[in-house]
Amino acid sequence: MLALLRVKGFLAFIGVAFINAFVDLGHKIIVQNTLFKSYEGPEQIILTAIVNSLILLPFILLLSPAGFISDRFSKPIVMRWSARLAVIFTLIITLSYYQGWFELAFTMTLFLALQSALYSPAKYGFIRELVGTDNLSKGNAWIQSATMVAILSGIVVFSLLFEILLTDLYVTGEDPAVILQHIAPLGWALVLATVMEAGLAQRLPVTSYAKSSLAFDWSAYRRAALLKSNMNAIIERKLIFKCVLGLSIFWTISQVMLAVFPSFAEETLAEQNTFVIQGTMALAGVGIMFGSFLVGRWSKQSINQGLIPLGAIGVMLGVFSLPLVSSLQWASVAFLLIGISGALMTIPLNALIQFHAPVDNMGKVLAGSNFIQNISMLCGLVLTVMFSLLKLDETWLLYAIGVLAMIGAFHTISMKRNAA
């Protein structure tokens, strides 16, 4: 895997992916921790689910434009402009912290996600251009590892600094505006990170050039004809569609789990410290990082499809164990297992999609994949809100995603059997 670091521009590419995830996660953690300190019970779960929904919506609404931009323009150029946009957004976010404008800070979650939605198809499409088809699994393992390290770092850094800055403030039921003003200096960390991202994006090699013959059909976009075209690009290719379904199941489980567990930890495990709770969930990131290393080691020059059902079974066992834990220590073990297994499952699935997607329509396929996954995650969050409105115990929702994990395991086992 280390051989890829010698590929021109690969290290800068990994850096861009890392910082993009770090910034998105950092702001999300600040908003979520503010909600955790200001609200309790169903209200907390609902608002947390809304925050996560704001992150998903741009991936759904910008499906066709994002795919078109990735196919029409050089992918490194798309990533450069996305990075520059992130600098502007983090400056606005920092202003909202200092002014105590919680509603604006909350809304800016949507704008950061907008930037990521435009950037994502270009990022994943660029992997094949940069490292070639023989190294797809390794390239995806590096990206997955960088993203998970960024998520882990963001959780640890921003949760720890969040708690430190609030040390002298009694915050139970506190006005979120007051909390934001106390943690406002964290905004400058977001700005600095995006400036570094923009600098690294300038070092990405231009491996392909703009296709001036392509034009975006706004009329077809308004009629949802482009959506149908993007979906057909996936559905017509049975293997790609099955891979997307597998990814959708895993990320839906992850979204619901991350939305529900803080409240579960507070109510069932009697934990109030956001750093401890976020740190426990961050072990899923450590697991994905370690699992990514294993995928790279076990894949060599090919895509190891045998890892997919193995990972799906591990995810199922980890998710089913979560509602049974009696302490955060055991929850940590469950999150670690889910992370390792998730990497074994998702990295080969992503590599298969990239390998089988037509080069000229790579952006369309990847944007369509994002669309399906995000619709699935949004449905999971809607289910989370419904559970909270009905005042049902969070434990039942954890069992529900355990059943979904079981369905995912059967799905991936059937994929392997059909491939054989």
Side-chain angles (χ1 to χ4, degrees):
M1 284 182 67
L2 294 178
L4 291 184
L5 295 178
R6 293 194 292 269
V7 175
K8 182 182 178 182
F10 188 74
L11 198 55
F13 179 51
I14 294 298
V16 170
F18 175 90
I19 296 174
N20 190 269
F22 181 79
V23 169
D24 283 357
L25 198 281
H27 175 62
K28 176 188 168 186
I29 286 294
I30 290 171
V31 172
Q32 281 193 177
N33 286 353
T34 302
L35 292 174
F36 184 86
K37 295 291 188 183
S38 304
Y39 304 95
E40 295 180 349
E43 193 173 16
Q44 180 193 123
I45 294 177
I46 291 169
L47 288 171
T48 301
I50 291 173
V51 169
N52 285 284
S53 298
L54 290 178
I55 294 171
L56 301 178
L57 280 174
F59 287 91
I60 296 170
L61 300 176
L62 296 180
L63 158 70
S64 298
F68 167 79
I69 288 171
S70 179
D71 289 332
R72 166 67 173 78
F73 300 100
S74 170
K75 293 174 179 60
I77 301 299
V78 174
M79 287 186 276
R80 289 174 189 174
W81 279 104
S82 295
R84 293 164 188 164
L85 198 59
V87 176
I88 298 172
F89 289 162
T90 52
L91 284 170
I92 297 173
I93 286 170
T94 302
L95 175 64
S96 71
Y97 291 172
Y98 275 99
Q99 297 298 319
W101 295 336
F102 180 70
E103 291 80 4
L104 177 58
F106 195 93
T107 304
M108 286 307 297
T109 308
L110 177 68
F111 285 88
L112 272 183
L114 171 73
Q115 175 263 341
S116 293
L118 295 174
Y119 153 86
S120 184
K123 176 183 73 173
Y124 283 105
F126 189 55
I127 296 175
R128 186 161 79 173
E129 291 183 10
L130 195 60
V131 303
T133 55
D134 289 343
N135 289 310
L136 267 178
S137 283
K138 292 181 180 179
N140 276 279
W142 268 106
I143 286 295
Q144 190 83 296
S145 296
T147 302
M148 288 308 114
V149 172
I151 289 173
L152 173 62
S153 303
I155 289 173
V156 172
V157 170
F158 286 98
S159 290
L160 180 59
L161 293 177
F162 185 92
E163 289 289 344
I164 290 173
L165 290 171
L166 292 181
T167 301
D168 299 325
L169 179 69
Y170 178 75
V171 292
T172 303
E174 183 63 80
D175 184 348
V178 175
I179 295 174
L180 276 188
Q181 289 177 319
H182 271 76
I183 57 85
L186 294 180
W188 293 114
L190 298 176
V191 173
L192 178 61
T194 53
V195 170
M196 292 173 61
E197 179 188 359
L200 287 171
Q202 290 298 124
R203 299 176 59 186
L204 297 175
V206 178
T207 54
S208 62
Y209 297 91
K211 301 178 180 68
S212 56
S213 59
L214 293 179
F216 189 72
D217 190 339
W218 286 103
S219 175
Y221 176 59
R222 288 191 294 270
R223 299 194 317 270
L226 291 182
L227 172 60
K228 182 178 179 181
S229 174
N230 281 47
M231 291 300 96
N232 286 339
I234 292 176
I235 295 171
E236 290 172 355
R237 297 170 175 85
K238 191 172 293 186
L239 178 59
I240 290 180
F241 184 58
K242 288 181 177 179
C243 290
V244 171
L245 286 181
L247 289 169
S248 299
I249 290 172
F250 175 76
W251 292 117
T252 299
I253 290 168
S254 300
Q255 281 291 329
V256 176
M257 185 172 64
L258 296 178
V260 171
F261 186 76
S263 180
F264 175 81
E266 185 178 22
E267 298 292 331
T268 306
L269 305 179
E271 180 57 61
Q272 299 291 327
N273 190 299
T274 59
F275 173 66
V276 174
I277 294 173
Q278 296 289 358
T280 299
M281 294 191 293
L283 284 171
V286 175
I288 289 182
M289 213 168 52
F290 182 66
S292 300
F293 170 78
L294 293 178
V295 173
R297 190 176 182 85
W298 293 339
S299 295
K300 302 300 181 184
Q301 299 296 318
S302 61
I303 301 171
N304 190 342
Q305 298 184 50
L307 298 176
I308 299 173
L310 176 64
I313 292 170
V315 170
M316 178 186 70
L317 294 175
V319 173
F320 265 122
S321 67
L322 264 184
L324 302 175
V325 300
S326 57
S327 67
L328 281 178
Q329 287 79 8
W330 282 111
S332 299
V333 175
F335 275 110
L336 189 64
L337 174 61
I338 292 168
I340 293 172
S341 304
L344 298 182
M345 174 184 172
T346 59
I347 291 174
L349 288 175
N350 273 319
L352 283 171
I353 293 172
Q354 293 158 22
F355 181 79
H356 290 282
V359 176
D360 290 342
N361 284 326
M362 175 77 76
K364 181 182 290 188
V365 169
L366 294 177
S369 173
N370 281 339
F371 179 83
I372 294 173
Q373 291 177 54
N374 283 284
I375 284 287
S376 178
M377 288 187 277
L378 190 60
C379 290
L381 291 174
V382 169
L383 179 65
T384 302
V385 171
M386 289 174 61
F387 263 71
S388 296
L389 290 174
L390 294 172
K391 301 187 184 304
L392 298 175
D393 195 303
E394 300 96 335
T395 305
W396 290 108
L397 192 53
L398 290 175
Y399 279 124
I401 59 175
V403 173
L404 182 59
M406 184 185 297
I407 294 171
F410 282 120
H411 171 71
T412 55
I413 290 170
S414 69
M415 278 182 62
K416 177 64 177 173
R417 187 183 298 119
N418 292 337

